[in-house]
């Protein structure tokens, strides 16, 4: 058998092998390669101490190579969250949720990171020198500053006391009349004595019948 025939047979074998690779098999191979790469970066992250920037870059590269995967972004968000860099953690978690909306880890980081950012902001506001002084006045200034910063007119949902306020204000806007003006006038003094009822007038007497015995109904004509 000549070398040309052998080369042709090898090429045919390779071509047939490629043709027998199904789409599902290709997806499985890609998934296996991705999981292996993710496990390697996870191992590097677990072994890393101190600065995690190199590990973050590895996760970012893995995310670039697999743009539909959300796990690398969740890992990045967790690193930022553990370092207290909540803004970056929330951004990375949102990238993960764009690719995997069901990720509980990304949702938890977004929620808790947002709450910690809010708590930190309120703590910083409490340290503002303009808020020092009387505690009651400080509370009013802090509430006004929060309303201005957040753009909200009401920071706390209205409770029973807040709902009762408009009623009290309405009552204050329309003050009750003074006792002197509101006191009712006695009935006996307000109503004049009834006038005596005039005696009913006597009915007029029927006219006497005409002489000659006329029609008795002529009087009605």
């Amino acid at each position: 058998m000549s070398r040309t025939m052998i080369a042709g047979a090898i090429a045919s074998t390779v071509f047939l092998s490629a043709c027998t690779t199904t789409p599902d098999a290709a997806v499985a191979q890609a998934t296996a390669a991705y999981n292996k790469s993710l496990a390697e970066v996870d191992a590097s992250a677990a072994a890393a101490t101190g600065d995690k920037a190199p590990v973050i870059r590895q996760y970012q590269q893995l995310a670039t190579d697999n743009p539909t995967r959300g796990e690398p972004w969740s890992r990045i968000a967790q690193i930022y969250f553990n370092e207290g860099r909540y803004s970056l953690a929330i951004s990375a978690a949102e990238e993960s949720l764009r690719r995997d909306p069901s990720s509980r880890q990304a949702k938890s980081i977004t929620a808790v990171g947002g709450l910690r950012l809010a708590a930190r902001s309120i703590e910083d506001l409490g340290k503002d020198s303009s808020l020092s002084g009387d505690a009651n006045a400080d509370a009013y200034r802090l509430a006004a500053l929060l309303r201005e910063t957040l753009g909200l007119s009401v920071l706390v949902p209205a409770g029973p006391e807040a709902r009762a306020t408009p009623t009290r204000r309405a009552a204050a806007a329309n003050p009750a009349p003074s006792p002197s003006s509101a006191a009712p006038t006695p009935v006996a003094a307000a109503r004049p004595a009834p006038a005596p009822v005039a005696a009913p007038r006597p009915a007029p007497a029927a006219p006497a019948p005409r002489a000659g015995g006329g029609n008795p109904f002529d009087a009605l004509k």
Side-chain angles (χ1 to χ4, degrees):
M1 184 179 293
S2 64
R3 294 182 178 179
T4 304
M5 295 178 63
I6 295 174
I10 294 174
S12 299
T13 303
V14 173
F15 177 76
L16 292 174
S17 299
C19 291
T20 56
T21 303
T22 62
D24 292 340
V27 171
Q29 291 176 2
T31 301
Y34 166 76
N35 290 334
K36 180 180 179 181
S37 299
L38 182 62
E40 291 174 354
V41 181
D42 287 343
S44 300
T49 56
D51 186 15
K52 296 294 183 68
V55 177
I56 292 176
R57 286 194 292 269
Q58 293 181 42
Y59 281 124
Q60 289 173 340
Q61 183 60 49
L62 185 59
T64 302
D65 296 338
N66 300 270
T68 61
R69 301 284 186 171
E71 293 89 353
W73 289 108
S74 292
R75 305 293 202 278
I76 295 172
Q78 188 64 56
I79 293 174
Y80 283 139
F81 184 86
N82 294 339
E83 294 178 350
R85 304 164 72 180
Y86 300 120
S87 296
L88 294 175
I90 293 172
S91 297
E94 289 177 347
E95 291 290 341
S96 176
L97 289 173
R98 288 191 184 97
R99 294 159 175 80
D100 182 13
S102 63
S103 175
R104 290 187 177 182
Q105 182 183 13
K107 291 179 181 179
S108 299
I109 291 174
T110 301
V112 180
L115 291 174
R116 292 192 178 183
L117 275 178
R120 180 183 294 175
S121 299
I122 293 175
E123 182 180 359
D124 292 340
L125 289 174
K127 297 176 182 178
D128 194 332
S129 59
S130 64
L131 299 177
S132 60
D134 181 60
N136 190 28
D138 286 351
Y140 279 106
R141 283 195 295 269
L142 179 58
L145 185 57
L146 286 174
R147 285 196 297 269
E148 180 181 356
T149 303
L150 299 178
L152 300 176
S153 59
V154 178
L155 295 176
V156 181
E161 293 293 333
R163 286 194 295 267
T165 302
T167 304
R168 291 197 297 267
R169 290 180 178 177
N174 299 313
S178 60
S180 60
S181 60
T185 305
V187 176
R191 296 181 180 178
V197 180
R201 297 179 180 180
R210 297 179 181 179
N215 188 357
F217 295 101
D218 289 340
L220 302 176
K221 293 182 181 181

